[in-house]
Amino acid sequence: MKRYTTGSLALLTAGLVALAGCGRASDGGAAEAPKDVDTSAAATGTLSVWAMGTEGEALASFAKQFETANPGIKVTVTPVGWDVAHDKITASIAGRSTPDVSMIGSTWMGELAKSGAVDPTPGNVIDKAAFFPSAWGTVEVDGTAYGVPWYVETRVLYYRKDLADKAGVAPPATWDETKTFVKALQKAGAEQGMQLNYTVGSWQEILPLVWQQGGSITGADGKWTFDTPELVKALEVQRSYFEEGLASNKVDPASFPASFFKGDVGAYYSGPWMIAGMEKDGGPGFAEKFGVAPYPKGSASGTSFIGGSDLVVFKDSANRDAAWKFVRWLSEPATQAKWYSAVKALPSVQAAWELPEVSADERVAVFGEQLKDAKTPPPFPTWDQISKAIDQEVEKVALGKTSPKDAAKAIQAQADAVGTGL
Amino acid sequence: MVTGRMRGRVRVRTAVLYTALTVGLVAVAGPFLWTVLGSFKPDAEIRRDPPTFLPAEWIGGNYAALFERMDVVTVTINSVVVASVVVASNLLFCSLVAYALTKLDFAGGRLVFGLVLLQMMVPGIVLLIPQFVTIASLNLADTYAGIVLPGLVTPLGVFMMRQFMADIPDELVQAARVDGSGEFRIFFQIVMPLCKPVLATLGLITFMGSWNAFLWPAVVAQHKEMYTLPVALASLSGRDSVHYGMLLAGVVVVITPVLLLFVALQRYFVQGVATAGLK
């Protein structure tokens, strides 16, 4: 009985130590210097890698090429559902049972860097200059990079080419032209004109409008700035589409994308994955009926949102050198181009865009162009909460339950309450 | 005349009853049926507006894709192993606790029951990280033991068994004691046989809970060979694109065993719910 008690005490202590472990970063974190990787030998041993969704499924067979090039290595890929990925990674950090390498959502970096569990990127194997600067922004926290951008996605304008041709209009270049364009599509038969997102994830459509006016959601002091004329204006612009009947605020989410195929919706903003979706589900000949165009410009620029996924190496990895070599291999231009062919994930490495696998499709080239002007929200650990607050207020504005001014104030109040988490 | 009117009234009542039952049936079984039918439709048809009910053309491709992209046999075995262990241990341990709480007179019995009730009020999600840290420091992450351990005894099970056993007359237990029977013999040969309906209910509830459990097995299992059915299924859906037909096929694979079990145990289940005081 005595022994049993001692045993459970030891267990409890072990648990507490592990818990304390996840808090260790608050003292180190940002200031820590990356350690170089020994590149003299080939990668050996075993690597466990987590990846989500399609990537998780495709990476296992894709990684065989790395195994062939490095005969001493065995890569085990575990596909993880997106729904559970965030919880699973944070739990594994708390339990100190992390994999060697993991794919992460690009907006999680702040939180993970703060946990102290991810390894700063060693400069001798990864060249920052090879990536799109906007993509690199998703891995940098307080001046230190943790991991690398793996692939990117950005938003552009999708529109019904056949309706635009019928109305004799070209894709818009400015905010003002966008309205004329949508009105023309409506006349040509698109009842809804344009579909705008005003529910979950609507921050991804509102932030570009802020950036396009030269605005920012963080100030020079590193604090959130939401109660700005730019955000008020962005909300007003989106609301005007609903008020003028150019977009509907009673959209049944299940009706999309069928509504675009039918021609009820004339245009919308979305990411590169929709190309395949449109071509596959739109029915015969639909591939010719839609086009993509860069974001229309506001008073300052045509900045879009950049998202995607990053790769991180965990500090607890028993095979750190091999882990970074695997990450380096995944960010080589040739690998990135092949990866694009496999799962249609846009390369985060600029040189890969010159390769034929990527440059062949002119619709994809529009995304490449847009990537040169795209931004990501700052990688602050609290971003998840802030984004939800924005979504809620955007929906209230769209439904006419609050004014843009009050919404901006409400977002600011919530952001002040939550802080940046740094 | 009187009987005729009564018969007429009965007929109206029957008609109303059946109409209500039919509406209920359609509401409950409709989505089910749509899922099964949808698993035989191509994706473009699933997304079609207006939707179709019967597939315009029946295809088996969704099941083929599911079996190709997911190791259905392995994950089904995992699910069966996990669910069987959880059900068996819940039936045994919850009953043992309930027996002690109702038929044995010991100091602190009420306190123990209070603690059990208290646990029912703690939301499971709160326990996720502490439980995982414990499991990981026991080196049980990525094992069957790690997946089943936190679910071996559930407070709800203890509560259900206690409510049922409280109604079994103490005289029965005392008579057996007078005849010289030990506590385990009383438990296994007298009390447990009387508990069949509630055991069936508890078995079904824990089976469904364990079979459908998602978050915990998803966090503990770290290789796809350890995944249970719902976890493997969830790993198939991408963030931006979903192969609906294949997911529906997966859902059919997941719910079929539960459905069969429910049909088999339905009689006990209804009886158990009625008698366990969970009305």
Side-chain angles (χ1 to χ4, degrees), chain B residues 58-118:
Chain B
W58 293 75
I59 57 155
N62 293 328
Y63 287 90
L66 178 76
F67 278 77
E68 189 198 309
R69 288 174 62 182
M70 187 168 120
D71 189 354
V72 178
V73 176
T74 307
V75 294
T76 308
I77 291 175
N78 288 342
S79 274
V80 169
V81 169
V82 168
S84 318
V85 173
V86 168
V87 169
S89 87
N90 265 284
L91 293 185
L92 178 66
F93 293 127
C94 295
S95 310
L96 281 170
V97 178
Y99 180 79
L101 287 174
T102 52
K103 303 298 172 218
L104 301 181
D105 201 14
F106 65 100
R110 292 177 71 116
L111 181 73
V112 172
F113 186 54
L115 287 175
V116 171
L117 288 184
L118 198 69

Side-chain angles (χ1 to χ4, degrees), chain B residues 121-224:
Chain B
M121 292 163 203
V122 181
I125 188 84
V126 175
L127 299 175
L128 181 75
I129 299 278
Q131 277 181 345
F132 183 76
V133 170
T134 313
I135 291 293
S137 25
L138 288 169
N139 273 328
L140 290 178
D142 210 20
T143 62
Y144 282 136
I147 299 178
V148 300
L149 208 54
L152 289 186
V153 192
T154 52
L156 177 73
V158 173
F159 178 75
M160 273 176 64
M161 293 308 297
R162 184 205 169 269
Q163 296 308 88
F164 191 86
M165 281 190 193
D167 288 343
I168 294 176
D170 289 347
E171 289 79 4
L172 214 59
V173 177
Q174 274 151 15
R177 273 188 203 134
V178 170
D179 286 346
S181 156
E183 293 300 333
F184 274 102
R185 191 162 167 196
I186 302 176
F187 175 74
F188 282 113
Q189 294 195 340
I190 299 176
V191 175
M192 284 300 259
L194 289 171
C195 289
K196 267 185 202 152
V198 72
L199 286 172
T201 314
L202 180 61
L204 194 64
I205 290 177
T206 40
F207 178 82
M208 288 203 303
S210 164
W211 190 258
N212 295 335
F214 174 64
L215 194 56
W216 177 254
V219 167
V220 177
Q222 310 207 325
H223 284 93
K224 61 175 188 262

Side-chain angles (χ1 to χ4, degrees), chain A residues 11 14-15 18-19 48 50 53-54 57 60 76-84 87-88 90-92 94-97 105 151 153 254-258 262 273 280-281 308-309, chain B residues 43-44 47-50 69-70 125 128-130 132-134 136-138 141 214-215 217-225 227 231 234-243 246:
Chain A
L11 202 91
L19 269 178
S48 90
W50 291 357
T54 330
E57 276 186 76
T76 314
V77 179
T78 303
V80 179
W82 267 109
D83 293 349
V84 76
D87 286 338
K88 191 176 163 86
T90 38
S92 76
R96 307 287 302 253
S97 67
Y151 66 83
E153 56 99 345
S255 69
F256 186 81
K262 275 208 291 187
W273 59 87
K280 188 168 135 266
D281 297 333
S309 290
Chain B
D43 256 35
R47 289 164 185 269
R48 194 179 296 167
D49 179 27
R69 288 174 62 182
M70 187 168 120
I125 188 84
L128 181 75
I129 299 278
F132 183 76
V133 170
T134 313
S137 25
L138 288 169
F214 174 64
L215 194 56
V219 167
V220 177
Q222 310 207 325
H223 284 93
K224 61 175 188 262
E225 288 73 25
Y227 278 2
V231 180
S235 72
L236 291 185
S237 65
R239 176 161 57 169
D240 315 309
S241 61
V242 182
H243 186 341
M246 191 183 63

Side-chain angles (χ1 to χ4, degrees), chain B residues 260-279:
Chain B
L260 292 179
L261 198 72
F262 190 85
V263 171
L265 295 178
Q266 187 202 23
R267 200 156 46 96
Y268 294 109
F269 184 66
V270 174
Q271 217 179 343
V273 171
T275 44
L278 290 173
K279 280 170 268 194

